[in-house]
């Protein structure tokens, strides 16, 4: 094994607390908007429309992503069904290419990146917040337009 052959890494090896601490340090404006979080995700609440935007890290798959998640406390249930009538409008506003999405997550965006390389963390945190903002704007415009 060469010094550059790192092999497969397990999610349990990812320093999630350190990543989310850096996330919060770079984006303190997210803290008051956080509705729920765990080792692999951070949810931005959108209480007026009973939605949450989930930002997540999937280190074993080498990706980070954003999607409309579930949060019963905020009434964010049956999200995919609720957004179905607006999906085309939201997706048109997001202008995501097929390689930027994952099947089975509804409206979502992913970025393939080495999550274990800690020098990638600032860019990962910034990308998550930027995409969450794009998702929030797209859904707000779609719901207002289609209302």
């Amino acid at each position: 094994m060469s010094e550059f052959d790192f092999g497969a890494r397990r999610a349990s090896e990812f320093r999630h607390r350190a990543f989310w601490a850096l996330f919060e340090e770079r984006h303190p404006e997210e803290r008051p908007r956080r509705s729920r979080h765990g080792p692999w995700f951070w949810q931005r609440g959108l209480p007026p429309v009973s939605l949450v935007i989930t930002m997540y890290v999937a280190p074993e798959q080498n990706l980070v992503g954003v999607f409309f998640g579930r949060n019963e406390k905020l009434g964010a249930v049956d999200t995919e069904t609720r957004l179905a009538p607006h999906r085309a409008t939201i997706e048109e506003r997001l202008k995501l290419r097929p390689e930027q999405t994952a099947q089975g997550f509804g409206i979502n965006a992913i970025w393939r990146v080495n999550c274990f390389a800690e020098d990638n963390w600032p860019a990962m945190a910034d990308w998550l917040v930027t995409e969450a903002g794009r998702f929030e704007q797209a859904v707000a415009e779609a719901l207002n337009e289609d209302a």
Side-chain angles (χ1 to χ4, degrees):
M1 185 153 140
S2 82
E3 64 182 288
F4 300 108
D5 184 10
F6 299 110
R9 305 278 309 259
R10 292 188 312 270
S12 62
E13 297 174 66
F14 182 71
R15 296 181 344 107
H16 59 84
R17 283 188 179 94
F19 172 76
W20 292 114
L22 176 121
F23 175 91
E24 194 170 347
E25 179 182 306
R26 289 182 70 83
H27 298 283
E29 73 281 1
E30 288 297 322
R31 176 80 167 147
R33 302 190 70 196
R34 182 178 75 189
S35 62
R36 190 168 174 226
H37 72 95
W40 313 113
F41 71 94
W42 179 292
Q43 287 186 331
R44 177 192 288 185
L46 307 176
V49 291
S50 300
L51 291 171
V52 293
I53 297 172
T54 301
M55 297 171 266
Y56 70 94
V57 178
E60 281 186 348
Q61 290 80 32
N62 286 316
L63 62 86
V64 292
V66 175
F67 67 98
F68 293 103
R70 177 179 174 80
N71 184 315
E72 290 182 15
K73 183 176 130 189
L74 288 183
V77 294
D78 300 323
T79 302
E80 196 166 340
T81 304
R82 287 180 42 226
L83 291 177
H86 314 283
R87 184 172 183 151
T89 304
I90 294 168
E91 288 178 340
E92 170 61 29
R93 282 178 166 70
L94 291 173
K95 296 181 184 351
L96 297 170
R97 296 181 309 275
E99 66 272 14
Q100 293 176 282
T101 63
Q103 296 299 317
F105 279 92
I107 302 167
N108 71 91
I110 60 171
W111 177 31
R112 295 192 184 285
V113 60
N114 180 354
C115 298
F116 291 101
E118 294 184 20
D119 57 342
N120 286 341
W121 289 5
M124 290 163 49
D126 295 349
W127 183 88
L128 287 168
V129 170
T130 297
E131 284 303 293
R134 286 176 11 90
F135 271 58
E136 184 174 357
Q137 182 176 351
V139 77
E141 290 172 359
L143 294 176
N144 284 335
E145 181 178 290
D146 296 343

